């Protein structure tokens, strides 16, 4: 039952990300499903809402890169004073991450926060939040 729930949540999040794949010029996005081997209770991504931000006002207010940005609105169900967010980047929508970035945020349950990743070149690249661990 647990794996079924994880699969349904992962597929739903992946499809939502694909529906809004163009965030800003030259920036596209895909969501890599969370790893199944993640420990239960520590991977906040399993029950989080991760939505791409596509409105121009939010993108312009949070992006300073000349190459564009990816911006996600994340809402976790649980509080975590020090959550580590890992974002993976690849050359294809379902490819293996060729680079990753991590950042730490304070996550408050049911309160959305933004994750902003700036583009580093004009080359097409896909990005997605891979894990949020507490």
């Amino acid at each position: 039952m647990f794996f079924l729930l994880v699969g349904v949540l992962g597929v739903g999040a992946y499809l939502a990300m694909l529906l809004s794949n163009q965030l800003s010029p030259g920036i596209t996005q895909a969501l890599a499903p969370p790893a199944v081997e993640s420990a239960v209770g520590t991977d906040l991504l399993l029950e989080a809402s991760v939505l791409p931000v596509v409105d121009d006002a939010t993108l312009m207010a949070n992006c300073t890169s000349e190459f564009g940005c990816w911006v996600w609105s994340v809402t976790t169900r649980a509080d975590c004073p020090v959550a580590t967010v890992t974002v993976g980047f690849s050359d294809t929508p379902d490819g293996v991450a060729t680079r990753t970035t991590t950042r730490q945020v304070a996550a408050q349950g049911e309160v959305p926060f933004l994750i902003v990743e700036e583009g580093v070149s004009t080359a097409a690249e896909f990005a997605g939040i891979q894990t949020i661990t507490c």
Side-chain angles (χ1 to χ4, degrees):
M1 182 67 170
F2 172 76
F3 293 111
L4 178 63
L5 177 62
V6 170
V8 169
L9 289 174
V11 169
Y14 181 75
L15 291 175
M17 299 300 244
L18 288 178
L19 289 174
S20 58
N21 65 355
Q22 190 66 36
L23 296 181
S24 63
I27 298 292
T28 54
Q29 167 173 310
L31 175 68
V36 174
E37 66 271 8
S38 296
V40 175
T42 60
D43 191 350
L44 298 176
L45 184 59
L46 294 175
E47 295 183 354
S49 166
V50 178
L51 301 172
V53 174
V54 294
D55 66 274
D56 289 334
T58 303
L59 288 172
M60 290 173 56
N62 291 284
C63 182
T64 58
S65 173
E66 65 182 293
F67 302 115
C69 293
W70 294 273
V71 180
W72 296 275
S73 175
V74 179
T75 306
T76 61
R77 294 191 60 182
D79 291 343
C80 180
V82 182
T84 301
V85 179
T86 302
V87 176
F89 301 86
S90 70
D91 297 327
T92 62
D94 55 356
V96 175
T98 56
R99 71 179 177 97
T100 60
T101 61
T102 59
R103 68 183 65 243
Q104 292 186 325
V105 297
Q108 185 177 352
E110 304 303 332
V111 177
F113 59 91
L114 295 179
I115 296 293
V116 178
E117 285 294 332
E118 295 187 343
V120 294
S121 75
T122 57
E125 191 172 48
F126 296 84
I129 296 177
Q130 293 181 320
T131 60
I132 303 173
T133 55
C134 187

